[in-house]
Amino acid sequence: MTQTLIASEKKQFLIGFDRPFCVIGERINPTGRKKLAAEMQAGNFETVIRDALAQVEAGANVLDVNAGVTAVNPNETEPPLLKQTIEIVQSVTDVPLCIDSSVTAALKVALETAKGRPLVNSVTGEEEKLEAILPLVAKYNVPVVAISNDESGISEDPDVRFEVAKKIVQRAADHGIKPEDVVVDPLVMPIGAMGTAGQQVFRLVRRLREELKVNTTCGASNIAFGMPNRRVLTGYFLAMAASHGMTSAIMNPLHDEDMHAILAANVLNGTDRNCRVWTNKFREMSTPSAVSQSAGDGSTGASGEDVEARRRAREERRRRRG
């Protein structure tokens, strides 16, 4: 059975077909977050630390770390900033990391800095990227995310994307990288722009699992880009993707809709043994009401204190989401 080992200095996580879904926290990424980018450039890592801790508390198994704050001369600016960011994240949490960069020099420095066995995000089917990144992956004996696009761009044809993934897996093997250390991203298209996007991903994930024997991941929020009520749509997508064999996703663990979908998928797929995780989490949420009713005080709901506590918890979650 295919299993991909990701590890920090003290903890490890196995991504696998018969394992609980791997939640890769996406928030330590300045892309599209101008305030965070400015803070990181100025040497202020308060938000990075806050996001790292909040994501782990919310259930992230792995933290994605990206330091791409500018497109201006990234070969010089990104390596030292990524190194510093990794060091800071490792100082406040011990979960495994996913090193997220398209700059080869930054990946090299990050691999020298990260403890344990991080996941590299990512390599594509472009010849230049294959030749630059696969030797690094082999040298440091780490797993890598393989994104299913090449010099021709992102194909709308899922069969073409499968062939790109197959090419990357084969080229990785030439460097001694086993299939279990290649986690394929089949590329999720926005459902608002392509009505078959969900069906394509589900079919691709099945093929990747059955034919290439590889684990899979994706940028989960892409599916609902531009859509109303996108958090709910993303949550349903995650649950369905897991039911078709997807084993991980880069996602926001601070969104309850997404995390509840993952926890439910683990129960229904049989990877939450005896429903222990689900029961432990949601029994606590239902306890105040049950206690109130059993006390014989005529109440049919939570007490005023319970309601206030839940309100404060909701406000705290909103604050963390930024």
Side-chain angles (χ1 to χ4, degrees):
M1 190 67 72
T2 299
Q3 292 188 337
T4 305
L5 172 65
I6 307 174
S8 66
E9 187 176 35
K10 297 180 180 179
K11 288 186 177 180
Q12 66 177 35
F13 191 91
L14 286 169
I15 303 176
F17 303 156
D18 60 345
R19 305 284 302 180
F21 195 91
C22 179
V23 175
I24 304 173
E26 70 179 12
R27 286 187 59 79
I28 305 175
N29 188 335
T31 304
R33 300 178 69 187
K34 293 182 179 179
K35 181 181 178 182
L36 177 59
E39 288 179 358
M40 292 174 70
Q41 283 182 293
N44 178 355
F45 291 90
E46 291 181 5
T47 300
V48 168
I49 292 171
R50 185 166 62 248
D51 281 348
L53 295 174
Q55 289 182 104
V56 172
E57 182 182 358
N61 308 115
V62 176
L63 293 181
D64 188 82
V65 179
N66 183 301
V69 297
T70 176
V72 179
N73 203 10
N75 287 313
E76 289 188 13
T77 60
E78 190 168 328
L81 185 57
L82 183 56
K83 174 182 172 65
Q84 187 177 10
T85 306
I86 288 173
E87 289 174 339
I88 288 171
V89 172
Q90 288 182 149
S91 73
V92 297
T93 182
D94 58 3
V95 301
L97 302 183
C98 175
I99 301 170
D100 186 355
S101 179
S102 60
V103 178
T104 304
L107 286 176
K108 184 177 185 299
V109 170
L111 286 168
E112 294 170 350
T113 305
K115 299 174 182 178
R117 195 171 195 255
L119 175 65
V120 169
N121 184 14
S122 57
V123 66
T124 67
E126 300 165 274
E127 285 298 322
E128 180 182 357
K129 292 296 183 181
L130 291 168
E131 291 302 317
I133 295 172
L134 290 182
L136 274 177
V137 171
K139 176 181 178 180
Y140 288 92
N141 186 28
V142 293
V144 63
V145 173
I147 300 181
S148 304
N149 69 280
D150 56 17
E151 289 86 353
S152 61
I154 301 174
S155 174
E156 294 188 1
D157 184 341
D159 292 330
V160 172
R161 300 208 298 277
F162 176 84
E163 290 302 322
V164 174
K166 183 177 180 180
K167 169 187 172 182
I168 298 173
V169 172
Q170 291 172 340
R171 292 290 292 275
D174 293 340
H175 289 271
I177 302 165
K178 298 177 181 178
E180 56 261 37
D181 281 333
V182 181
V183 181
V184 174
D185 182 345
L187 290 170
V188 175
M189 306 293 192
I191 194 73
M194 180 185 294
T196 59
Q199 299 169 61
Q200 285 191 7
V201 170
F202 302 150
R203 182 160 69 89
L204 259 173
V205 167
R206 283 288 187 194
R207 288 193 69 191
L208 291 164
R209 175 172 175 159
E210 292 170 3
E211 297 180 37
L212 299 185
K213 313 297 184 186
V214 294
N215 283 306
T216 47
T217 194
C218 72
S221 64
N222 291 348
I223 192 70
F225 181 78
M227 294 290 285
N229 204 13
R230 63 181 300 187
R231 289 183 182 172
V232 170
L233 183 58
T234 301
Y236 279 108
F237 165 75
L238 280 165
M240 292 186 68
S243 75
H244 283 78
M246 186 170 282
T247 48
S248 69
I250 300 171
M251 54 184 280
N252 190 341
L254 303 187
H255 290 166
D256 286 345
E257 299 89 342
D258 295 1
M259 291 301 292
H260 291 178
I262 293 302
L263 293 174
N266 287 340
V267 169
L268 298 173
N269 282 336
T271 57
D272 180 0
R273 308 299 182 192
N274 300 316
C275 308
R276 284 194 297 263
V277 175
W278 178 274
T279 303
N280 289 339
K281 180 174 180 62
F282 293 106
R283 178 183 286 138
E284 293 177 4
M285 295 176 65
S286 61
T287 296
S289 177
V291 170
S292 177
Q293 292 182 44
S294 65
D297 60 1
S299 172
T300 58
S303 69
E305 291 183 358
D306 294 331
V307 171
E308 177 61 21
R310 293 177 188 177
R311 183 190 66 77
R312 289 197 300 268
R314 286 195 299 270
E315 289 179 352
E316 176 63 16
R317 287 196 295 270
R318 293 193 190 102
R319 184 188 68 78
R320 288 175 178 173
R321 292 168 185 163

